[in-house]
Amino acid sequence: MASKQIQCEICFKEYAVGYCKTCGHIGDACVDIHNTGKVFQTHSVIMHEAVNVHEDDRENPKVIIRDASEERCKQHATERAIFLCTRHDTMICGRCLHSEHLSCGKEVVDLLREVGSIDCEKVNTMKSLLMEVKNEILLLKDDAENSKENFKTNADNCAQECIELGIKIKQRVDELTNVLIDEITKKHNENESTYSRITRTYNEKITWCENEERKIDQFVHNNMAGYLYLLSRKFDKGVSDVRSNLREIKHKHTFKRFEFKENRVILKCVFEDLEDVCEHQDEVTGSDDGSVNDVFEPTTEIQKTRRELTALSHKAKEYLDKSIKERLTVEAELKRTKADLNRVEKEIIDN
């Protein structure tokens, strides 16, 4: 694994450019000392190689490349971690093995003995498995992207259907409202016609009264007793006719009052039914057991309207009442039959 800039473990002033199996990481100056100093002639120095690194490591192209068995023990810096304790899942050195991991026994792996060379077959198997997992991930990712688009389209379609349903309900409400308004307008027009007829008749009768009153005043003023006598002969009948017409108008030509009253019970039922006009069904593309395309079963579809169900309920009640009456009749007949049987048995016994 690539490592970023590491300090020299001898002078701690430079970045390491090599690795001494005895001293650890060493910088340029310490490398020169290792090459010239007699004391270091027995030390083995490995220079770092320049390799392609991650973009974040470009400022330090020299990185350490070494195998796991060449790593230093975390507890003993001068020792190499050449053992793997599988029980504790940790790299250890010989000193750790003898001091802390003797009880682990066969669970300690000697990397120098067990891992001598790269097992190409194992590498190929691992890479093949990784490729399979990668392909599965890509397929699931494509599935998720397709599902996202499909369910977005589904959501848009559902929203549009809801809008269309709202328009349809509004149209029906407008139709029913218009029927009510037409009925109200019709009654209002009838009242207008009634008012016109009453007003016309009243005007005619007022005109008759005024004409008769003017004649009386004229005859009296001119001392025309004869015409006044002739007028009086038809006067009572005329007044009687007017009053008769007024009574007829009062009872025959009446105004029709109209009021708008909400039936709150029915209105509540309507609102409740609107909640059941359409139902939400959940569809999922996966489940806990790994199956796909699971769909929740929809509720039973309602085939009857409230009026139809009410009519069926009335019929069922009538049928039940009829059945009860027939049952009572049969029970009464059975009682009579049983009484007759008892009477016959008693007569046989007496004889």
Side-chain angles (χ1 to χ4, degrees), residues 29-76:
C30 294
V31 169
D32 292 338
I33 293 173
H34 272 67
N35 291 333
T36 58
K38 293 181 179 180
V39 123
F40 299 104
Q41 293 301 312
T42 58
H43 290 203
S44 176
V45 177
I46 302 173
M47 298 300 293
H48 296 169
E49 297 180 11
V51 296
N52 293 328
V53 296
H54 190 270
E55 185 177 354
D56 295 338
D57 298 327
R58 287 181 180 173
E59 72 280 358
N60 182 31
K62 293 184 178 181
V63 294
I64 297 174
I65 302 176
R66 59 174 181 265
D67 200 2
S69 60
E70 297 178 359
E71 292 286 350
R72 292 291 171 176
C73 178
K74 294 180 180 180
Q75 296 189 30
H76 308 95

mmCIF file of all heavy atoms in Angstrom, residues 29-76:
data_model
loop_
_atom_site.group_PDB
_atom_site.id
_atom_site.type_symbol
_atom_site.label_atom_id
_atom_site.label_comp_id
_atom_site.label_asym_id
_atom_site.label_seq_id
_atom_site.Cartn_x
_atom_site.Cartn_y
_atom_site.Cartn_z
ATOM 1 N N ALA A 29 20.808 11.754 3.357
ATOM 2 C CA ALA A 29 22.063 11.860 4.117
ATOM 3 C C ALA A 29 22.389 10.562 4.822
ATOM 4 O O ALA A 29 23.551 10.107 4.844
ATOM 5 C CB ALA A 29 21.980 13.014 5.119
ATOM 6 N N CYS A 30 21.382 9.931 5.387
ATOM 7 C CA CYS A 30 21.598 8.681 6.119
ATOM 8 C C CYS A 30 21.904 7.531 5.169
ATOM 9 O O CYS A 30 22.595 6.568 5.546
ATOM 10 C CB CYS A 30 20.391 8.365 6.992
ATOM 11 S SG CYS A 30 20.166 9.571 8.333
ATOM 12 N N VAL A 31 21.385 7.599 3.933
ATOM 13 C CA VAL A 31 21.753 6.605 2.927
ATOM 14 C C VAL A 31 23.241 6.703 2.609
ATOM 15 O O VAL A 31 23.962 5.696 2.486
ATOM 16 C CB VAL A 31 20.902 6.789 1.646
ATOM 17 C CG1 VAL A 31 21.474 5.944 0.504
ATOM 18 C CG2 VAL A 31 19.466 6.381 1.910
ATOM 19 N N ASP A 32 23.741 7.975 2.464
ATOM 20 C CA ASP A 32 25.170 8.180 2.202
ATOM 21 C C ASP A 32 26.008 7.621 3.349
ATOM 22 O O ASP A 32 27.071 7.013 3.124
ATOM 23 C CB ASP A 32 25.461 9.674 2.022
ATOM 24 C CG ASP A 32 24.828 10.212 0.738
ATOM 25 O OD1 ASP A 32 24.563 9.398 -0.164
ATOM 26 O OD2 ASP A 32 24.573 11.449 0.668
ATOM 27 N N ILE A 33 25.543 7.857 4.590
ATOM 28 C CA ILE A 33 26.274 7.331 5.752
ATOM 29 C C ILE A 33 26.325 5.809 5.701
ATOM 30 O O ILE A 33 27.349 5.187 5.995
ATOM 31 C CB ILE A 33 25.626 7.820 7.054
ATOM 32 C CG1 ILE A 33 25.792 9.340 7.192
ATOM 33 C CG2 ILE A 33 26.219 7.112 8.267
ATOM 34 C CD1 ILE A 33 25.053 9.926 8.360
ATOM 35 N N HIS A 34 25.181 5.178 5.299
ATOM 36 C CA HIS A 34 25.134 3.723 5.202
ATOM 37 C C HIS A 34 26.108 3.220 4.134
ATOM 38 O O HIS A 34 26.674 2.122 4.256
ATOM 39 C CB HIS A 34 23.701 3.256 4.873
ATOM 40 C CG HIS A 34 22.853 3.051 6.082
ATOM 41 N ND1 HIS A 34 22.457 4.083 6.898
ATOM 42 C CD2 HIS A 34 22.340 1.915 6.631
ATOM 43 C CE1 HIS A 34 21.710 3.611 7.869
ATOM 44 N NE2 HIS A 34 21.634 2.263 7.740
ATOM 45 N N ASN A 35 26.277 4.031 3.058
ATOM 46 C CA ASN A 35 27.153 3.598 1.966
ATOM 47 C C ASN A 35 28.630 3.771 2.308
ATOM 48 O O ASN A 35 29.504 3.080 1.745
ATOM 49 C CB ASN A 35 26.833 4.384 0.692
ATOM 50 C CG ASN A 35 25.466 4.000 0.126
ATOM 51 O OD1 ASN A 35 25.005 2.873 0.341
ATOM 52 N ND2 ASN A 35 24.826 4.925 -0.590
ATOM 53 N N THR A 36 28.959 4.724 3.202
ATOM 54 C CA THR A 36 30.371 5.028 3.498
ATOM 55 C C THR A 36 30.816 4.543 4.876
ATOM 56 O O THR A 36 31.988 4.237 5.077
ATOM 57 C CB THR A 36 30.598 6.548 3.404
ATOM 58 O OG1 THR A 36 29.710 7.215 4.319
ATOM 59 C CG2 THR A 36 30.330 7.046 1.992
ATOM 60 N N GLY A 37 29.884 4.515 5.810
ATOM 61 C CA GLY A 37 30.266 4.141 7.171
ATOM 62 C C GLY A 37 30.523 2.647 7.305
ATOM 63 O O GLY A 37 29.760 1.817 6.822
ATOM 64 N N LYS A 38 31.664 2.293 7.952
ATOM 65 C CA LYS A 38 32.003 0.887 8.106
ATOM 66 C C LYS A 38 31.017 0.170 9.005
ATOM 67 O O LYS A 38 30.776 -1.023 8.862
ATOM 68 C CB LYS A 38 33.422 0.768 8.697
ATOM 69 C CG LYS A 38 34.511 1.252 7.745
ATOM 70 C CD LYS A 38 35.881 1.072 8.376
ATOM 71 C CE LYS A 38 36.984 1.540 7.405
ATOM 72 N NZ LYS A 38 38.352 1.373 7.973
ATOM 73 N N VAL A 39 30.505 0.913 9.995
ATOM 74 C CA VAL A 39 29.563 0.297 10.946
ATOM 75 C C VAL A 39 28.303 -0.219 10.259
ATOM 76 O O VAL A 39 27.641 -1.120 10.762
ATOM 77 C CB VAL A 39 29.228 1.332 12.028
ATOM 78 C CG1 VAL A 39 27.791 1.623 12.170
ATOM 79 C CG2 VAL A 39 29.799 0.919 13.334
ATOM 80 N N PHE A 40 27.953 0.389 9.084
ATOM 81 C CA PHE A 40 26.712 0.054 8.382
ATOM 82 C C PHE A 40 26.920 -0.918 7.218
ATOM 83 O O PHE A 40 26.022 -1.149 6.435
ATOM 84 C CB PHE A 40 26.054 1.338 7.838
ATOM 85 C CG PHE A 40 25.682 2.337 8.906
ATOM 86 C CD1 PHE A 40 26.445 3.479 9.095
ATOM 87 C CD2 PHE A 40 24.601 2.118 9.736
ATOM 88 C CE1 PHE A 40 26.118 4.398 10.077
ATOM 89 C CE2 PHE A 40 24.275 3.038 10.721
ATOM 90 C CZ PHE A 40 25.033 4.183 10.904
ATOM 91 N N GLN A 41 28.174 -1.469 7.089
ATOM 92 C CA GLN A 41 28.470 -2.332 5.953
ATOM 93 C C GLN A 41 27.610 -3.593 5.961
ATOM 94 O O GLN A 41 27.318 -4.164 4.904
ATOM 95 C CB GLN A 41 29.960 -2.699 5.960
ATOM 96 C CG GLN A 41 30.897 -1.530 5.693
ATOM 97 C CD GLN A 41 30.628 -0.881 4.341
ATOM 98 O OE1 GLN A 41 30.516 -1.584 3.330
ATOM 99 N NE2 GLN A 41 30.510 0.443 4.333
ATOM 100 N N THR A 42 27.195 -4.030 7.144
ATOM 101 C CA THR A 42 26.376 -5.246 7.233
ATOM 102 C C THR A 42 24.884 -4.965 7.057
ATOM 103 O O THR A 42 24.069 -5.888 7.009
ATOM 104 C CB THR A 42 26.590 -5.933 8.586
ATOM 105 O OG1 THR A 42 26.248 -5.020 9.624
ATOM 106 C CG2 THR A 42 28.034 -6.388 8.731
ATOM 107 N N HIS A 43 24.503 -3.685 7.002
ATOM 108 C CA HIS A 43 23.081 -3.326 6.848
ATOM 109 C C HIS A 43 22.655 -3.471 5.391
ATOM 110 O O HIS A 43 23.431 -3.214 4.474
ATOM 111 C CB HIS A 43 22.850 -1.884 7.300
ATOM 112 C CG HIS A 43 22.993 -1.712 8.793
ATOM 113 N ND1 HIS A 43 22.413 -0.669 9.482
ATOM 114 C CD2 HIS A 43 23.650 -2.438 9.732
ATOM 115 C CE1 HIS A 43 22.715 -0.773 10.763
ATOM 116 N NE2 HIS A 43 23.489 -1.850 10.922
ATOM 117 N N SER A 44 21.423 -3.864 5.194
ATOM 118 C CA SER A 44 20.880 -4.012 3.839
ATOM 119 C C SER A 44 19.881 -2.878 3.584
ATOM 120 O O SER A 44 18.877 -2.743 4.297
ATOM 121 C CB SER A 44 20.167 -5.366 3.702
ATOM 122 O OG SER A 44 19.576 -5.481 2.435
ATOM 123 N N VAL A 45 20.197 -2.058 2.560
ATOM 124 C CA VAL A 45 19.363 -0.887 2.250
ATOM 125 C C VAL A 45 18.606 -1.122 0.946
ATOM 126 O O VAL A 45 19.203 -1.525 -0.061
ATOM 127 C CB VAL A 45 20.219 0.393 2.150
ATOM 128 C CG1 VAL A 45 19.338 1.581 1.756
ATOM 129 C CG2 VAL A 45 20.935 0.662 3.460
ATOM 130 N N ILE A 46 17.292 -0.867 0.970
ATOM 131 C CA ILE A 46 16.439 -0.954 -0.231
ATOM 132 C C ILE A 46 15.952 0.444 -0.550
ATOM 133 O O ILE A 46 15.289 1.085 0.275
ATOM 134 C CB ILE A 46 15.241 -1.881 -0.005
ATOM 135 C CG1 ILE A 46 15.718 -3.293 0.388
ATOM 136 C CG2 ILE A 46 14.362 -1.942 -1.244
ATOM 137 C CD1 ILE A 46 14.582 -4.214 0.784
ATOM 138 N N MET A 47 16.274 0.926 -1.752
ATOM 139 C CA MET A 47 15.836 2.260 -2.169
ATOM 140 C C MET A 47 14.388 2.218 -2.648
ATOM 141 O O MET A 47 13.965 1.242 -3.287
ATOM 142 C CB MET A 47 16.739 2.802 -3.284
ATOM 143 C CG MET A 47 18.184 2.969 -2.862
ATOM 144 S SD MET A 47 18.378 4.113 -1.483
ATOM 145 C CE MET A 47 17.891 5.645 -2.247
ATOM 146 N N HIS A 48 13.653 3.266 -2.372
ATOM 147 C CA HIS A 48 12.260 3.359 -2.829
ATOM 148 C C HIS A 48 12.225 3.523 -4.340
ATOM 149 O O HIS A 48 13.073 4.207 -4.921
ATOM 150 C CB HIS A 48 11.555 4.552 -2.181
ATOM 151 C CG HIS A 48 11.440 4.418 -0.689
ATOM 152 N ND1 HIS A 48 11.053 5.456 0.109
ATOM 153 C CD2 HIS A 48 11.668 3.363 0.138
ATOM 154 C CE1 HIS A 48 11.058 5.057 1.373
ATOM 155 N NE2 HIS A 48 11.421 3.776 1.407
ATOM 156 N N GLU A 49 11.214 2.931 -4.960
ATOM 157 C CA GLU A 49 11.046 3.049 -6.402
ATOM 158 C C GLU A 49 9.964 4.081 -6.702
ATOM 159 O O GLU A 49 8.993 4.228 -5.968
ATOM 160 C CB GLU A 49 10.652 1.710 -7.018
ATOM 161 C CG GLU A 49 11.714 0.643 -6.841
ATOM 162 C CD GLU A 49 11.284 -0.668 -7.474
ATOM 163 O OE1 GLU A 49 10.271 -0.645 -8.202
ATOM 164 O OE2 GLU A 49 11.944 -1.692 -7.255
ATOM 165 N N ALA A 50 10.129 4.775 -7.830
ATOM 166 C CA ALA A 50 9.087 5.726 -8.276
ATOM 167 C C ALA A 50 8.011 4.945 -8.993
ATOM 168 O O ALA A 50 8.284 4.252 -9.975
ATOM 169 C CB ALA A 50 9.697 6.769 -9.211
ATOM 170 N N VAL A 51 6.771 5.040 -8.520
ATOM 171 C CA VAL A 51 5.648 4.306 -9.112
ATOM 172 C C VAL A 51 4.505 5.274 -9.352
ATOM 173 O O VAL A 51 4.486 6.394 -8.839
ATOM 174 C CB VAL A 51 5.166 3.168 -8.167
ATOM 175 C CG1 VAL A 51 6.264 2.143 -7.993
ATOM 176 C CG2 VAL A 51 4.760 3.738 -6.823
ATOM 177 N N ASN A 52 3.555 4.829 -10.142
ATOM 178 C CA ASN A 52 2.345 5.625 -10.367
ATOM 179 C C ASN A 52 1.525 5.620 -9.086
ATOM 180 O O ASN A 52 1.228 4.566 -8.536
ATOM 181 C CB ASN A 52 1.517 5.044 -11.509
ATOM 182 C CG ASN A 52 2.242 5.178 -12.832
ATOM 183 O OD1 ASN A 52 2.989 6.127 -13.034
ATOM 184 N ND2 ASN A 52 2.029 4.213 -13.734
ATOM 185 N N VAL A 53 1.174 6.793 -8.634
ATOM 186 C CA VAL A 53 0.449 6.901 -7.374
ATOM 187 C C VAL A 53 -0.842 7.643 -7.604
ATOM 188 O O VAL A 53 -1.104 8.168 -8.680
ATOM 189 C CB VAL A 53 1.304 7.636 -6.308
ATOM 190 C CG1 VAL A 53 2.537 6.813 -5.985
ATOM 191 C CG2 VAL A 53 1.704 9.019 -6.788
ATOM 192 N N HIS A 54 -1.642 7.679 -6.545
ATOM 193 C CA HIS A 54 -2.911 8.394 -6.584
ATOM 194 C C HIS A 54 -2.665 9.886 -6.760
ATOM 195 O O HIS A 54 -1.590 10.402 -6.416
ATOM 196 C CB HIS A 54 -3.675 8.134 -5.278
ATOM 197 C CG HIS A 54 -5.077 8.611 -5.308
ATOM 198 N ND1 HIS A 54 -5.437 9.875 -4.928
ATOM 199 C CD2 HIS A 54 -6.216 7.986 -5.697
ATOM 200 C CE1 HIS A 54 -6.734 10.028 -5.058
ATOM 201 N NE2 HIS A 54 -7.224 8.888 -5.526
ATOM 202 N N GLU A 55 -3.618 10.565 -7.288
ATOM 203 C CA GLU A 55 -3.497 12.000 -7.554
ATOM 204 C C GLU A 55 -3.097 12.767 -6.305
ATOM 205 O O GLU A 55 -2.343 13.725 -6.365
ATOM 206 C CB GLU A 55 -4.829 12.518 -8.100
ATOM 207 C CG GLU A 55 -4.773 13.973 -8.512
ATOM 208 C CD GLU A 55 -6.081 14.437 -9.103
ATOM 209 O OE1 GLU A 55 -6.971 13.598 -9.297
ATOM 210 O OE2 GLU A 55 -6.196 15.640 -9.367
ATOM 211 N N ASP A 56 -3.561 12.319 -5.121
ATOM 212 C CA ASP A 56 -3.235 13.028 -3.883
ATOM 213 C C ASP A 56 -1.784 12.836 -3.468
ATOM 214 O O ASP A 56 -1.268 13.548 -2.623
ATOM 215 C CB ASP A 56 -4.140 12.534 -2.744
ATOM 216 C CG ASP A 56 -5.587 12.886 -3.013
ATOM 217 O OD1 ASP A 56 -5.813 13.824 -3.797
ATOM 218 O OD2 ASP A 56 -6.465 12.211 -2.439
ATOM 219 N N ASP A 57 -1.081 11.821 -4.041
ATOM 220 C CA ASP A 57 0.287 11.523 -3.633
ATOM 221 C C ASP A 57 1.325 12.015 -4.627
ATOM 222 O O ASP A 57 2.488 11.637 -4.561
ATOM 223 C CB ASP A 57 0.459 10.011 -3.439
ATOM 224 C CG ASP A 57 -0.433 9.490 -2.336
ATOM 225 O OD1 ASP A 57 -0.651 10.249 -1.378
ATOM 226 O OD2 ASP A 57 -0.910 8.344 -2.445
ATOM 227 N N ARG A 58 0.939 12.837 -5.605
ATOM 228 C CA ARG A 58 1.870 13.252 -6.643
ATOM 229 C C ARG A 58 2.986 14.143 -6.117
ATOM 230 O O ARG A 58 4.039 14.250 -6.720
ATOM 231 C CB ARG A 58 1.097 13.975 -7.752
ATOM 232 C CG ARG A 58 0.262 13.013 -8.597
ATOM 233 C CD ARG A 58 -0.477 13.731 -9.684
ATOM 234 N NE ARG A 58 -1.272 12.781 -10.462
ATOM 235 C CZ ARG A 58 -2.129 13.147 -11.402
ATOM 236 N NH1 ARG A 58 -2.312 14.429 -11.671
ATOM 237 N NH2 ARG A 58 -2.796 12.231 -12.070
ATOM 238 N N GLU A 59 2.744 14.804 -4.962
ATOM 239 C CA GLU A 59 3.805 15.656 -4.431
ATOM 240 C C GLU A 59 4.941 14.807 -3.860
ATOM 241 O O GLU A 59 6.015 15.310 -3.591
ATOM 242 C CB GLU A 59 3.227 16.584 -3.355
ATOM 243 C CG GLU A 59 2.850 15.911 -2.045
ATOM 244 C CD GLU A 59 1.512 15.210 -2.122
ATOM 245 O OE1 GLU A 59 0.876 15.297 -3.211
ATOM 246 O OE2 GLU A 59 1.090 14.605 -1.123
ATOM 247 N N ASN A 60 4.709 13.508 -3.658
ATOM 248 C CA ASN A 60 5.747 12.619 -3.143
ATOM 249 C C ASN A 60 5.759 11.343 -3.966
ATOM 250 O O ASN A 60 5.193 10.338 -3.573
ATOM 251 C CB ASN A 60 5.481 12.289 -1.669
ATOM 252 C CG ASN A 60 6.563 11.399 -1.096
ATOM 253 O OD1 ASN A 60 7.717 11.478 -1.518
ATOM 254 N ND2 ASN A 60 6.198 10.551 -0.152
ATOM 255 N N PRO A 61 6.375 11.343 -5.146
ATOM 256 C CA PRO A 61 6.326 10.186 -6.032
ATOM 257 C C PRO A 61 7.092 8.988 -5.493
ATOM 258 O O PRO A 61 6.895 7.884 -5.951
ATOM 259 C CB PRO A 61 6.951 10.692 -7.324
ATOM 260 C CG PRO A 61 7.817 11.826 -6.910
ATOM 261 C CD PRO A 61 7.137 12.451 -5.746
ATOM 262 N N LYS A 62 7.985 9.183 -4.517
ATOM 263 C CA LYS A 62 8.728 8.057 -3.961
ATOM 264 C C LYS A 62 7.945 7.456 -2.808
ATOM 265 O O LYS A 62 7.720 8.109 -1.803
ATOM 266 C CB LYS A 62 10.107 8.519 -3.476
ATOM 267 C CG LYS A 62 11.035 8.961 -4.600
ATOM 268 C CD LYS A 62 12.400 9.310 -4.071
ATOM 269 C CE LYS A 62 13.351 9.696 -5.212
ATOM 270 N NZ LYS A 62 14.705 10.015 -4.711
ATOM 271 N N VAL A 63 7.513 6.217 -2.977
ATOM 272 C CA VAL A 63 6.724 5.549 -1.944
ATOM 273 C C VAL A 63 7.343 4.194 -1.633
ATOM 274 O O VAL A 63 8.117 3.649 -2.432
ATOM 275 C CB VAL A 63 5.262 5.357 -2.403
ATOM 276 C CG1 VAL A 63 4.575 6.678 -2.567
ATOM 277 C CG2 VAL A 63 5.216 4.549 -3.691
ATOM 278 N N ILE A 64 6.988 3.702 -0.490
ATOM 279 C CA ILE A 64 7.542 2.408 -0.067
ATOM 280 C C ILE A 64 6.737 1.285 -0.690
ATOM 281 O O ILE A 64 5.511 1.289 -0.656
ATOM 282 C CB ILE A 64 7.500 2.283 1.466
ATOM 283 C CG1 ILE A 64 8.377 3.367 2.080
ATOM 284 C CG2 ILE A 64 7.919 0.901 1.925
ATOM 285 C CD1 ILE A 64 8.282 3.422 3.573
ATOM 286 N N ILE A 65 7.388 0.323 -1.293
ATOM 287 C CA ILE A 65 6.741 -0.866 -1.820
ATOM 288 C C ILE A 65 7.401 -2.064 -1.157
ATOM 289 O O ILE A 65 8.559 -2.377 -1.432
ATOM 290 C CB ILE A 65 6.890 -0.964 -3.345
ATOM 291 C CG1 ILE A 65 6.299 0.262 -4.008
ATOM 292 C CG2 ILE A 65 6.221 -2.223 -3.861
ATOM 293 C CD1 ILE A 65 6.477 0.286 -5.490
ATOM 294 N N ARG A 66 6.691 -2.722 -0.258
ATOM 295 C CA ARG A 66 7.240 -3.888 0.417
ATOM 296 C C ARG A 66 6.099 -4.809 0.804
ATOM 297 O O ARG A 66 4.956 -4.399 0.936
ATOM 298 C CB ARG A 66 8.058 -3.494 1.641
ATOM 299 C CG ARG A 66 7.305 -2.707 2.694
ATOM 300 C CD ARG A 66 8.179 -2.493 3.922
ATOM 301 N NE ARG A 66 7.472 -1.754 4.945
ATOM 302 C CZ ARG A 66 7.552 -0.438 5.108
ATOM 303 N NH1 ARG A 66 8.303 0.288 4.275
ATOM 304 N NH2 ARG A 66 6.881 0.168 6.065
ATOM 305 N N ASP A 67 6.435 -6.058 1.026
ATOM 306 C CA ASP A 67 5.430 -7.055 1.357
ATOM 307 C C ASP A 67 5.054 -6.951 2.838
ATOM 308 O O ASP A 67 5.754 -6.305 3.634
ATOM 309 C CB ASP A 67 5.974 -8.451 1.044
ATOM 310 C CG ASP A 67 4.854 -9.461 0.889
ATOM 311 O OD1 ASP A 67 3.686 -9.048 0.986
ATOM 312 O OD2 ASP A 67 5.144 -10.648 0.663
ATOM 313 N N ALA A 68 3.965 -7.628 3.195
ATOM 314 C CA ALA A 68 3.488 -7.551 4.579
ATOM 315 C C ALA A 68 4.518 -8.068 5.571
ATOM 316 O O ALA A 68 4.651 -7.545 6.677
ATOM 317 C CB ALA A 68 2.177 -8.329 4.714
ATOM 318 N N SER A 69 5.267 -9.116 5.155
ATOM 319 C CA SER A 69 6.249 -9.711 6.076
ATOM 320 C C SER A 69 7.437 -8.790 6.328
ATOM 321 O O SER A 69 8.255 -9.064 7.215
ATOM 322 C CB SER A 69 6.733 -11.055 5.524
ATOM 323 O OG SER A 69 7.344 -10.875 4.248
ATOM 324 N N GLU A 70 7.574 -7.715 5.553
ATOM 325 C CA GLU A 70 8.660 -6.763 5.748
ATOM 326 C C GLU A 70 8.243 -5.579 6.632
ATOM 327 O O GLU A 70 9.067 -4.713 6.940
ATOM 328 C CB GLU A 70 9.150 -6.247 4.394
ATOM 329 C CG GLU A 70 9.732 -7.345 3.512
ATOM 330 C CD GLU A 70 10.170 -6.821 2.161
ATOM 331 O OE1 GLU A 70 9.989 -5.609 1.922
ATOM 332 O OE2 GLU A 70 10.677 -7.607 1.358
ATOM 333 N N GLU A 71 6.976 -5.534 7.021
ATOM 334 C CA GLU A 71 6.497 -4.454 7.880
ATOM 335 C C GLU A 71 7.049 -4.634 9.292
ATOM 336 O O GLU A 71 7.290 -5.760 9.761
ATOM 337 C CB GLU A 71 4.962 -4.452 7.933
ATOM 338 C CG GLU A 71 4.308 -4.065 6.631
ATOM 339 C CD GLU A 71 4.417 -2.574 6.347
ATOM 340 O OE1 GLU A 71 4.839 -1.820 7.257
ATOM 341 O OE2 GLU A 71 4.088 -2.177 5.217
ATOM 342 N N ARG A 72 7.241 -3.532 9.988
ATOM 343 C CA ARG A 72 7.729 -3.563 11.350
ATOM 344 C C ARG A 72 6.572 -3.842 12.318
ATOM 345 O O ARG A 72 5.443 -3.437 12.081
ATOM 346 C CB ARG A 72 8.404 -2.241 11.709
ATOM 347 C CG ARG A 72 9.699 -1.989 10.958
ATOM 348 C CD ARG A 72 10.773 -2.944 11.410
ATOM 349 N NE ARG A 72 11.958 -2.866 10.575
ATOM 350 C CZ ARG A 72 13.080 -3.539 10.806
ATOM 351 N NH1 ARG A 72 13.134 -4.357 11.835
ATOM 352 N NH2 ARG A 72 14.127 -3.418 10.000
ATOM 353 N N CYS A 73 6.861 -4.550 13.363
ATOM 354 C CA CYS A 73 5.858 -4.840 14.393
ATOM 355 C C CYS A 73 5.468 -3.545 15.090
ATOM 356 O O CYS A 73 6.314 -2.688 15.380
ATOM 357 C CB CYS A 73 6.444 -5.839 15.402
ATOM 358 S SG CYS A 73 5.319 -6.221 16.761
ATOM 359 N N LYS A 74 4.193 -3.396 15.371
ATOM 360 C CA LYS A 74 3.705 -2.171 16.004
ATOM 361 C C LYS A 74 4.182 -2.044 17.450
ATOM 362 O O LYS A 74 4.315 -0.933 17.963
ATOM 363 C CB LYS A 74 2.171 -2.148 15.969
ATOM 364 C CG LYS A 74 1.602 -2.035 14.571
ATOM 365 C CD LYS A 74 0.094 -2.010 14.599
ATOM 366 C CE LYS A 74 -0.474 -1.886 13.192
ATOM 367 N NZ LYS A 74 -1.954 -1.862 13.189
ATOM 368 N N GLN A 75 4.482 -3.193 18.098
ATOM 369 C CA GLN A 75 4.929 -3.150 19.488
ATOM 370 C C GLN A 75 6.458 -3.188 19.604
ATOM 371 O O GLN A 75 7.025 -2.687 20.574
ATOM 372 C CB GLN A 75 4.325 -4.324 20.273
ATOM 373 C CG GLN A 75 2.806 -4.268 20.370
ATOM 374 C CD GLN A 75 2.261 -5.316 21.321
ATOM 375 O OE1 GLN A 75 2.933 -5.702 22.289
ATOM 376 N NE2 GLN A 75 1.047 -5.777 21.051
ATOM 377 N N HIS A 76 7.095 -3.807 18.638
ATOM 378 C CA HIS A 76 8.568 -3.941 18.665
ATOM 379 C C HIS A 76 9.095 -3.429 17.339
ATOM 380 O O HIS A 76 9.115 -4.158 16.344
ATOM 381 C CB HIS A 76 8.976 -5.394 18.905
ATOM 382 C CG HIS A 76 8.310 -6.003 20.099
ATOM 383 N ND1 HIS A 76 7.144 -6.768 20.017
ATOM 384 C CD2 HIS A 76 8.611 -5.937 21.424
ATOM 385 C CE1 HIS A 76 6.781 -7.165 21.204
ATOM 386 N NE2 HIS A 76 7.669 -6.681 22.108
#
